[in-house]
Amino acid sequence: MRNWLLFEVVLACALAACLIGLAAPAHAEKRVALVIGNNDYKNVPKLQKAVNDARTMGETLKQLGFKVMVGENLNREQFSQALLAFDNALDPGDTAFFFYAGHGFEIAGQNFLLPTDVPAVTEGQEELLRDASVLADHVVERLQNKQARTAILVFDACRNNPFERSGTRALAGGGGLAPMTQLPEGVFSVFSAGPRQTALDRLSNDDTNPNSVFTRTFSKELLQPGENLVQVAQRTRKLVSELADTVNHKQFPVYFDQMVDDVFLNGMPKGQAEASKPAQPVPQKVAALPPVSVPRLPPNDSVNAPIAMFSRHSGGWTVYFSIADPTLGISWRIGDSGDFRETGFMDALDPRTRKRMPNQSIELPADAQAGTIELRYIDASGEMQGPFPIKFDPEAALIHDQRKILDMTATSWLAFREFNGLLVYYTQLMSYRCAIREVRIGIDTTVPDKVLKMPPCDLRDPNAIPENATPYLKLAPSTQFVSVELTYRDGSVSEIKSFRH
């Protein structure tokens, strides 16, 4: 009987942990991974390298300190059992890594991972496919329910439509998976190719590498010391795209980042001094992934650290602070030296303290440089809390702020106007172009197939539209609608929006 699931989590250790759990003061956060590779499909085309990809990723993750479970050629029941084992191995606060190589299929914006016994469905049988497959969103939900602190999902499943058959009406789909843009906080996902793209198993018939083009690259990048997840994904995207270009193929891996902080899987950030003598253990605040370097935090880990939001306007920056505790006063400074400045007070009473409410925002000039804002506050008992370090990166803050605005104003990306013909304006997109890498539109088609040129981002005055820019297109009077899709600076892709004349 095939040993279809290899468990690296030793059951004896798990039992021992359970027995001593009542005496332990806190759960020791750990790393757990499930990697699955499916080659041996019964009713759709077989694959060659998915199992090898899973094995390679399993070995890579072991080197990074993960307890790894490897599933090979899983049918629907075995897939479910593997996910259940993954659930049982996770505790709240753990780091979870899910990798899948095999066939995947998108239906109405939802991604399905195909077990080896998936039926050969045809047009009109979408429900059969849904019932026989694993919904990728459900994997995310399971990790949420287990309260994983960090969830990393990687899909090397962007292959050709496995249901295409000559002489039959195939299930609609041209290959590739749908973007997962609505991920919860703490989730990071990577796809081996972008929307409507297919991923290469090999570069040519002479390519003897046992792994797909994506996995052979991604597995190596994960082991690069001092790289955070975003840097790993960006480097992988660049290298895979360059390899695909050598055979005139377009493959541009994408990632979707909902992490609060940088996550380092292998060592300290580059440039960080490695030889240091920590006086006291520093509370881990970056996804519980050792070894990493984190900002200096107050010794009292029970304090709710403030959260900052940055908003760019024509006059500079407004920084809004969110503090969970009732406060009697707030002060701040740039860097770790110099005097603290008070934020002042608002003309309103805080019902929790019955005192004037401190102003929870500050202003920074437009040319403010990257650095650290240190914030401290006086709590309701009169005790000073902090200082709390808050990283300020003007370019990253601008991109995040503009991306948020674009998401909130998606219904205003395009606007039609009749003036000496039919015009479509994209002023909104041009005003917030610093968050955008590429705009694609489709005229009377739901598939955006034309690139809309945008002026470069001007960090000094990011919302201004250059005088020589034309924020509209002339269209044929018969145009019925225009579709639009944005690729953001982080590589994620928006939903396709349609605007009717």
Side-chain angles (χ1 to χ4, degrees):
M1 180 177 179
R2 174 176 293 174
N3 183 12
W4 58 270
L5 192 59
L6 307 175
F7 289 96
E8 300 294 336
V9 180
V10 180
L11 295 180
C13 293
L15 179 59
C18 291
L19 292 176
I20 66 174
L22 294 177
H27 164 66
E29 296 152 343
K30 62 184 182 296
R31 299 178 174 187
V32 183
L34 172 62
V35 298
I36 294 174
N38 283 347
N39 280 344
D40 192 17
Y41 286 91
K42 304 298 187 292
N43 305 305
V44 298
K46 297 180 185 295
L47 298 174
Q48 296 180 354
K49 298 188 177 183
V51 168
N52 283 339
D53 290 341
R55 292 175 180 175
T56 295
M57 284 299 302
E59 292 301 317
T60 298
L61 293 171
K62 287 179 188 177
Q63 296 181 54
L64 295 171
F66 283 85
K67 300 294 185 181
V68 180
M69 296 176 280
V70 180
E72 299 179 1
N73 295 318
L74 306 187
N75 61 31
R76 183 63 178 86
E77 180 181 356
Q78 292 167 341
F79 210 130
S80 295
Q81 291 173 353
L83 290 172
L84 180 60
F86 192 30
D87 286 348
N88 292 336
L90 288 167
D91 291 299
D94 284 347
T95 295
F97 197 116
F98 177 80
F99 173 86
Y100 174 77
H103 279 309
F105 199 78
E106 176 261 330
I107 300 177
Q110 291 185 311
N111 294 322
F112 293 86
L113 312 180
L114 308 190
T116 56
D117 57 352
V118 65
V121 297
T122 58
E123 185 183 32
Q125 297 180 322
E126 288 83 359
E127 289 303 320
L128 291 179
L129 176 60
R130 289 189 175 98
D131 292 342
S133 303
V134 175
L135 180 62
D137 286 339
H138 283 174
V139 178
V140 178
E141 291 174 7
R142 295 173 78 128
L143 298 180
Q144 276 190 288
N145 292 338
K146 295 299 295 187
Q147 300 178 43
R149 187 171 188 174
T150 300
I152 305 164
L153 299 97
V154 181
F155 303 98
D156 192 359
C158 306
R159 294 173 168 85
N160 291 321
N161 184 346
F163 302 108
E164 288 183 340
R165 294 286 189 279
S166 60
T168 66
R169 295 292 297 275
L171 205 64
L177 295 177
M180 296 175 70
T181 57
Q182 303 300 319
L183 293 173
E185 183 179 298
V187 178
F188 190 94
S189 68
V190 185
F191 289 76
S192 59
R196 297 183 305 279
Q197 295 177 358
T198 54
L200 293 171
D201 261 354
R202 58 188 185 275
L203 294 172
S204 70
N205 292 332
D206 298 326
D207 184 356
T208 59
N209 192 298
N211 296 120
S212 71
V213 174
F214 170 81
T215 295
R216 73 180 70 167
T217 305
F218 183 67
S219 59
K220 291 180 181 178
E221 291 303 313
L222 277 176
L223 296 175
Q224 293 297 320
E227 297 280 351
N228 62 36
L229 282 178
V230 171
Q231 291 169 324
V232 169
Q234 290 176 341
R235 178 72 176 163
T236 299
R237 180 172 59 195
K238 178 178 183 296
L239 294 175
V240 169
S241 179
E242 290 174 350
L243 287 172
D245 282 343
T246 65
V247 292
N248 297 318
H249 181 81
K250 186 174 182 181
Q251 181 178 346
F252 197 74
V254 297
Y255 66 92
F256 304 93
D257 178 13
Q258 290 298 328
M259 306 306 302
V260 176
D261 294 297
D262 290 339
V263 176
F264 298 88
L265 292 183
N266 189 23
M268 301 173 69
K270 289 182 177 178
Q272 184 75 28
E274 296 183 4
S276 60
K277 295 182 180 180
Q280 297 291 334
V282 179
Q284 189 78 331
K285 288 296 182 183
V286 185
L289 299 179
V292 298
S293 174
V294 296
R296 176 172 59 85
L297 294 174
N300 183 4
D301 191 34
S302 65
V303 175
N304 292 314
I307 298 173
M309 293 188 300
F310 301 90
S311 178
R312 185 69 159 84
H313 49 81
S314 59
W317 292 93
T318 300
V319 187
Y320 300 94
F321 301 112
S322 177
I323 303 174
D325 292 338
T327 58
L328 301 178
I330 301 171
S331 56
W332 65 284
R333 69 184 178 189
I334 299 293
D336 58 1
S337 62
D339 295 331
F340 280 86
R341 288 175 279 180
E342 301 292 329
T343 62
F345 293 87
M346 303 172 63
D347 291 329
L349 293 179
D350 187 337
R352 299 173 297 177
T353 63
R354 297 185 178 276
K355 298 181 182 295
R356 289 184 67 188
M357 185 177 295
N359 186 1
Q360 294 192 331
S361 67
I362 62 173
E363 298 293 324
L364 297 178
D367 59 354
Q369 300 299 304
T372 301
I373 302 170
E374 288 203 337
L375 186 77
R376 66 184 188 182
Y377 66 88
I378 301 173
D379 65 20
S381 64
E383 295 291 328
M384 180 69 73
Q385 303 293 347
F388 298 88
I390 297 172
K391 182 181 178 182
F392 174 55
D393 181 336
E395 183 173 3
L398 173 64
I399 292 171
H400 183 272
D401 184 46
Q402 290 200 352
R403 165 74 183 268
K404 180 175 62 177
I405 293 172
L406 287 169
D407 288 341
M408 294 172 58
T409 60
T411 57
S412 303
W413 288 353
L414 301 183
F416 291 96
R417 181 185 178 189
E418 293 190 14
F419 181 78
N420 293 330
L422 180 61
L423 306 178
V424 60
Y425 278 82
Y426 49 96
T427 310
Q428 183 79 353
L429 298 179
M430 195 171 283
S431 297
Y432 300 102
R433 63 191 179 277
C434 290
I436 302 171
R437 171 180 293 159
E438 183 180 74
V439 180
R440 300 179 69 89
I441 64 168
I443 300 173
D444 284 337
T445 173
T446 57
V447 179
D449 54 3
K450 296 179 177 61
V451 176
L452 195 61
K453 291 186 178 181
M454 306 285 282
C457 171
D458 182 358
L459 294 176
R460 296 169 301 178
D461 194 2
N463 299 112
I465 297 176
E467 293 183 1
N468 59 351
T470 304
Y472 63 85
L473 287 177
K474 293 183 178 181
L475 301 177
S478 59
T479 301
Q480 298 296 312
F481 71 95
V482 176
S483 60
V484 60
E485 178 186 70
L486 308 184
T487 300
Y488 294 105
R489 286 279 294 275
D490 64 0
S492 60
V493 182
S494 73
E495 295 181 6
I496 297 176
K497 306 289 185 181
S498 291
F499 297 82
R500 294 199 167 271
H501 172 215

Short mmCIF file of all heavy atoms in Angstrom, two decimals, residues 6 14 43 51 56 83 110 117 183 185 197 223 244 294 313 334 342 346 393 406 414 436 441 500:
data_model
loop_
_atom_site.label_atom_id
_atom_site.label_comp_id
_atom_site.label_asym_id
_atom_site.label_seq_id
_atom_site.Cartn_x
_atom_site.Cartn_y
_atom_site.Cartn_z
N LEU A 6 3.76 11.33 4.40
CA LEU A 6 4.94 11.15 5.23
C LEU A 6 4.92 12.19 6.33
O LEU A 6 5.06 13.38 6.06
CB LEU A 6 6.21 11.30 4.38
CG LEU A 6 6.26 10.43 3.12
CD1 LEU A 6 7.49 10.78 2.32
CD2 LEU A 6 6.25 8.96 3.49
N ALA A 14 4.66 14.71 20.21
CA ALA A 14 3.38 15.42 20.34
C ALA A 14 2.63 14.97 21.58
O ALA A 14 2.04 15.77 22.30
CB ALA A 14 2.54 15.20 19.08
N ASN A 43 -8.33 10.91 -14.63
CA ASN A 43 -9.27 11.30 -15.69
C ASN A 43 -8.89 12.57 -16.44
O ASN A 43 -9.60 12.96 -17.36
CB ASN A 43 -10.66 11.48 -15.07
CG ASN A 43 -11.12 10.24 -14.32
OD1 ASN A 43 -11.14 9.15 -14.89
ND2 ASN A 43 -11.48 10.41 -13.06
N VAL A 51 5.10 16.02 -8.12
CA VAL A 51 5.59 15.26 -6.96
C VAL A 51 7.01 15.68 -6.62
O VAL A 51 7.35 15.88 -5.45
CB VAL A 51 5.49 13.75 -7.22
CG1 VAL A 51 6.26 12.96 -6.15
CG2 VAL A 51 4.03 13.31 -7.25
N THR A 56 10.96 18.60 -3.21
CA THR A 56 11.97 19.65 -3.11
C THR A 56 11.56 20.71 -2.08
O THR A 56 12.37 21.14 -1.25
CB THR A 56 12.19 20.31 -4.48
OG1 THR A 56 12.74 19.33 -5.38
CG2 THR A 56 13.13 21.49 -4.39
N LEU A 83 -5.25 17.51 5.09
CA LEU A 83 -5.60 18.80 5.67
C LEU A 83 -5.97 18.67 7.14
O LEU A 83 -5.64 19.53 7.96
CB LEU A 83 -6.75 19.44 4.88
CG LEU A 83 -6.40 19.93 3.48
CD1 LEU A 83 -7.66 20.37 2.74
CD2 LEU A 83 -5.41 21.08 3.54
N GLN A 110 -13.10 31.69 -8.03
CA GLN A 110 -12.67 30.82 -6.95
C GLN A 110 -11.70 29.77 -7.50
O GLN A 110 -11.91 29.23 -8.59
CB GLN A 110 -13.86 30.13 -6.28
CG GLN A 110 -14.76 31.07 -5.50
CD GLN A 110 -15.84 30.32 -4.77
OE1 GLN A 110 -16.54 29.49 -5.34
NE2 GLN A 110 -16.01 30.61 -3.49
N ASP A 117 -8.36 11.98 -8.33
CA ASP A 117 -9.55 11.28 -8.83
C ASP A 117 -10.63 12.24 -9.31
O ASP A 117 -11.79 11.85 -9.42
CB ASP A 117 -10.10 10.33 -7.77
CG ASP A 117 -10.44 11.04 -6.46
OD1 ASP A 117 -10.10 12.24 -6.33
OD2 ASP A 117 -11.04 10.41 -5.57
N LEU A 183 -7.51 38.53 1.03
CA LEU A 183 -6.97 37.65 2.07
C LEU A 183 -7.05 38.34 3.42
O LEU A 183 -6.93 39.56 3.52
CB LEU A 183 -5.52 37.30 1.75
CG LEU A 183 -5.27 36.42 0.52
CD1 LEU A 183 -3.79 36.31 0.24
CD2 LEU A 183 -5.88 35.04 0.72
N GLU A 185 -5.76 39.32 7.32
CA GLU A 185 -4.47 39.74 7.87
C GLU A 185 -3.65 38.53 8.32
O GLU A 185 -4.17 37.57 8.88
CB GLU A 185 -4.71 40.68 9.05
CG GLU A 185 -3.45 41.25 9.66
CD GLU A 185 -3.77 42.19 10.81
OE1 GLU A 185 -4.43 43.22 10.55
OE2 GLU A 185 -3.39 41.88 11.95
N GLN A 197 -2.18 33.45 -17.20
CA GLN A 197 -0.89 32.91 -17.62
C GLN A 197 -0.78 31.45 -17.19
O GLN A 197 -1.42 31.03 -16.23
CB GLN A 197 0.27 33.70 -17.00
CG GLN A 197 0.36 35.14 -17.45
CD GLN A 197 1.49 35.88 -16.76
OE1 GLN A 197 2.18 35.34 -15.90
NE2 GLN A 197 1.68 37.14 -17.12
N LEU A 223 15.90 30.02 0.70
CA LEU A 223 17.07 29.75 1.53
C LEU A 223 18.06 30.90 1.57
O LEU A 223 19.08 30.81 2.26
CB LEU A 223 17.78 28.47 1.03
CG LEU A 223 16.96 27.18 1.14
CD1 LEU A 223 17.71 26.01 0.51
CD2 LEU A 223 16.64 26.88 2.60
N ALA A 244 11.46 32.45 -18.43
CA ALA A 244 10.37 32.24 -19.39
C ALA A 244 10.59 33.04 -20.66
O ALA A 244 10.25 32.58 -21.76
CB ALA A 244 9.04 32.62 -18.74
N VAL A 294 13.92 42.64 15.52
CA VAL A 294 12.68 43.40 15.66
C VAL A 294 13.00 44.73 16.32
O VAL A 294 14.02 44.88 16.99
CB VAL A 294 11.65 42.63 16.52
CG1 VAL A 294 11.24 41.37 15.83
CG2 VAL A 294 12.21 42.31 17.90
N HIS A 313 -0.81 64.09 1.50
CA HIS A 313 -1.61 65.15 0.90
C HIS A 313 -0.67 66.18 0.31
O HIS A 313 0.56 66.04 0.40
CB HIS A 313 -2.56 65.77 1.93
CG HIS A 313 -1.90 66.14 3.21
ND1 HIS A 313 -1.19 67.32 3.38
CD2 HIS A 313 -1.82 65.49 4.40
CE1 HIS A 313 -0.71 67.38 4.61
NE2 HIS A 313 -1.07 66.28 5.25
N ILE A 334 11.30 62.13 16.35
CA ILE A 334 11.91 61.41 15.23
C ILE A 334 13.25 60.86 15.70
O ILE A 334 14.11 61.61 16.18
CB ILE A 334 12.11 62.32 14.02
CG1 ILE A 334 10.75 62.87 13.54
CG2 ILE A 334 12.80 61.56 12.89
CD1 ILE A 334 9.83 61.83 12.97
N GLU A 342 4.76 67.18 22.47
CA GLU A 342 3.37 66.81 22.75
C GLU A 342 2.51 66.98 21.50
O GLU A 342 2.73 67.89 20.70
CB GLU A 342 2.82 67.69 23.87
CG GLU A 342 3.59 67.62 25.17
CD GLU A 342 3.47 66.26 25.84
OE1 GLU A 342 2.41 65.61 25.68
OE2 GLU A 342 4.42 65.85 26.53
N MET A 346 -7.59 67.80 21.78
CA MET A 346 -8.74 68.13 20.96
C MET A 346 -9.82 68.76 21.83
O MET A 346 -9.81 68.64 23.06
CB MET A 346 -9.27 66.85 20.28
CG MET A 346 -8.24 66.12 19.44
SD MET A 346 -8.83 64.52 18.86
CE MET A 346 -10.22 65.03 17.83
N ASP A 393 8.55 54.73 6.23
CA ASP A 393 9.16 54.62 4.91
C ASP A 393 8.25 55.37 3.95
O ASP A 393 7.16 54.90 3.60
CB ASP A 393 9.27 53.14 4.50
CG ASP A 393 9.92 52.94 3.14
OD1 ASP A 393 9.89 53.87 2.32
OD2 ASP A 393 10.48 51.86 2.91
N LEU A 406 -7.49 53.55 -3.88
CA LEU A 406 -7.96 52.92 -5.12
C LEU A 406 -8.97 51.82 -4.83
O LEU A 406 -9.98 51.68 -5.54
CB LEU A 406 -6.78 52.37 -5.91
CG LEU A 406 -5.89 53.40 -6.61
CD1 LEU A 406 -4.61 52.76 -7.11
CD2 LEU A 406 -6.64 54.07 -7.76
N LEU A 414 -12.93 54.78 -13.88
CA LEU A 414 -13.20 55.30 -15.23
C LEU A 414 -14.49 56.11 -15.21
O LEU A 414 -15.40 55.83 -14.42
CB LEU A 414 -13.32 54.17 -16.25
CG LEU A 414 -12.12 53.23 -16.43
CD1 LEU A 414 -12.43 52.23 -17.54
CD2 LEU A 414 -10.86 54.00 -16.76
N ILE A 436 0.42 51.92 -8.65
CA ILE A 436 0.10 51.05 -9.79
C ILE A 436 1.36 50.77 -10.61
O ILE A 436 2.13 51.67 -10.91
CB ILE A 436 -0.96 51.73 -10.69
CG1 ILE A 436 -2.22 52.03 -9.89
CG2 ILE A 436 -1.28 50.86 -11.89
CD1 ILE A 436 -3.23 52.87 -10.65
N ILE A 441 -6.73 47.77 -20.07
CA ILE A 441 -8.16 47.98 -20.35
C ILE A 441 -8.58 47.11 -21.52
O ILE A 441 -7.75 46.69 -22.35
CB ILE A 441 -8.48 49.46 -20.65
CG1 ILE A 441 -7.77 49.91 -21.94
CG2 ILE A 441 -8.11 50.34 -19.48
CD1 ILE A 441 -8.26 51.25 -22.44
N ARG A 500 -19.82 50.71 -17.88
CA ARG A 500 -20.71 50.81 -19.04
C ARG A 500 -20.97 52.26 -19.41
O ARG A 500 -21.13 53.12 -18.55
CB ARG A 500 -22.02 50.08 -18.81
CG ARG A 500 -21.84 48.57 -18.68
CD ARG A 500 -23.12 47.80 -18.91
NE ARG A 500 -22.82 46.39 -19.06
CZ ARG A 500 -22.53 45.82 -20.21
NH1 ARG A 500 -22.55 46.56 -21.32
NH2 ARG A 500 -22.25 44.53 -20.28
#
